[in-house]
């Protein structure tokens, strides 16, 4: 329910002075990307246009936290959200090329992580969620937990799934992935 409130608030944000600030412009698609793929905020903000294939629904993360590149598939619904973002982004009066960051400011520059954090805090406040209750990085944790829950609901063995989830998340060890799901032990009592 909190995720739904975050998205609803994000989709309904309005600027106080009727302009189209970057954070208003990108937050709906950026937050859905973080929640829908489990990537880190730094990974999302470092994506270039050439790294994203919206038709085949994957992107390439380069030189990630663990020093490796990885291919991350995503859902058709996220692809539609990102395509909509691209339509609006491409209307900006800036030059956009394959090497332009995917998420850009209205002046065509890479988005600032601190601005994203500040806007996320404002979204939480507007959604009536205490800002000390959820961090932006928690969208990654939530993705991991929800993925494991879906897979086990379909009869998959959690121990067989963890190495796959580990690879997808870009972790070096299963233990690192297990730390992301420790809070959901009540969902997996066995």
């Amino acid at each position: 329910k909190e995720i739904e409130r975050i998205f609803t608030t994000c989709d309904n944000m309005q600027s106080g002075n009727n302009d189209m600030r970057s954070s208003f412009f990108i937050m709906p698609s950026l937050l859905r990307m973080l929640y829908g793929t489990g990537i880190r905020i730094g990974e999302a903000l470092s994506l270039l246009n050439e790294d994203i294939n919206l038709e085949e629904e994957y992107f390439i993360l380069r030189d990630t936290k663990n020093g490796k590149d990885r291919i991350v598939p995503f859902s058709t619904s996220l692809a539609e959200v990102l395509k909509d973002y691209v339509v609006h982004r491409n209307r900006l009066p800036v030059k956009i090329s394959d090497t332009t960051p995917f998420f850009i400011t209205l002046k065509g520059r890479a988005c600032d992580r601190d601005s994203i954090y500040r806007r996320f805090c404002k979204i939480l406040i507007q959604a009536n969620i205490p800002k000390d209750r959820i961090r932006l990085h928690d969208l990654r944790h939530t993705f991991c937990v929800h993925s494991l829950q879906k897979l086990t609901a379909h009869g998959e063995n959690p121990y067989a799934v963890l190495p796959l989830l580990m690879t997808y998340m870009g972790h070096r060890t299963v233990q690192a992935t297990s730390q992301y799901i420790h809070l959901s032990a009540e969902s997996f009592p066995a």
Side-chain angles (χ1 to χ4, degrees), residues 136-147:
L136 191 57
H137 193 72
D138 290 334
L139 295 176
R140 181 170 164 81
H141 287 258
T142 303
F143 168 83
C144 195
V145 170
H146 287 179
S147 295

Side-chain angles (χ1 to χ4, degrees), residues 26-187:
I26 69 163
M27 291 304 281
S29 51
L30 177 62
L31 293 183
R32 282 177 173 84
M33 178 185 275
L34 297 176
Y35 171 73
T37 64
I39 66 172
R40 298 170 181 95
I41 183 63
E43 293 169 339
L45 295 180
S46 67
L47 284 167
L48 305 177
N49 287 319
E50 67 186 1
D51 298 328
I52 299 180
N53 187 320
L54 294 174
E55 300 309 315
E56 295 184 30
E57 300 172 353
Y58 72 88
F59 48 79
I60 301 170
L61 298 176
R62 302 183 191 280
D63 193 28
T64 62
K65 179 180 176 181
N66 290 323
K68 294 185 178 182
D69 295 353
R70 70 182 195 275
I71 296 174
V72 177
F74 53 85
S75 69
T76 300
S77 61
L78 179 58
E80 294 305 315
V81 167
L82 296 177
K83 286 176 186 177
D84 187 51
Y85 163 75
V86 167
V87 167
H88 294 293
R89 182 204 62 195
N90 289 351
R91 292 181 186 153
L92 294 174
V94 296
K95 183 174 175 9
I96 297 174
S97 70
D98 285 349
T99 57
T100 301
F102 185 72
F103 292 109
I104 59 173
T105 67
L106 298 178
K107 294 182 179 179
R109 296 186 197 121
C111 292
D112 175 56
R113 187 185 308 208
D114 290 338
S115 296
I116 300 300
Y117 282 123
R118 285 190 301 275
R119 178 57 56 199
F120 184 67
C121 286
K122 289 180 181 181
I123 290 168
L124 293 177
I125 291 167
Q126 289 177 1
N128 293 318
I129 300 170
K131 67 179 182 177
D132 59 344
R133 178 169 155 73
I134 297 177
R135 302 166 300 147
L136 191 57
H137 193 72
D138 290 334
L139 295 176
R140 181 170 164 81
H141 287 258
T142 303
F143 168 83
C144 195
V145 170
H146 287 179
S147 295
L148 187 61
Q149 287 173 333
K150 284 180 187 176
L151 290 166
T152 56
H154 286 93
E156 298 291 333
N157 179 334
Y159 293 105
V161 170
L162 278 176
L164 298 173
L165 195 52
M166 174 197 80
T167 302
Y168 183 91
M169 299 294 289
H171 291 145
R172 289 185 183 166
T173 65
V174 170
Q175 290 78 11
T177 306
S178 296
Q179 289 179 351
Y180 274 63
I181 58 174
H182 74 277
L183 295 176
S184 65
E186 65 275 3
S187 300

Side-chain angles (χ1 to χ4, degrees), residues 8-22:
T8 299
T9 301
C10 194
D11 292 345
N12 294 315
M13 285 189 311
Q14 294 182 9
S15 171
N17 54 0
N18 293 326
D19 68 348
M20 183 116 170
R21 294 185 184 168
S22 302

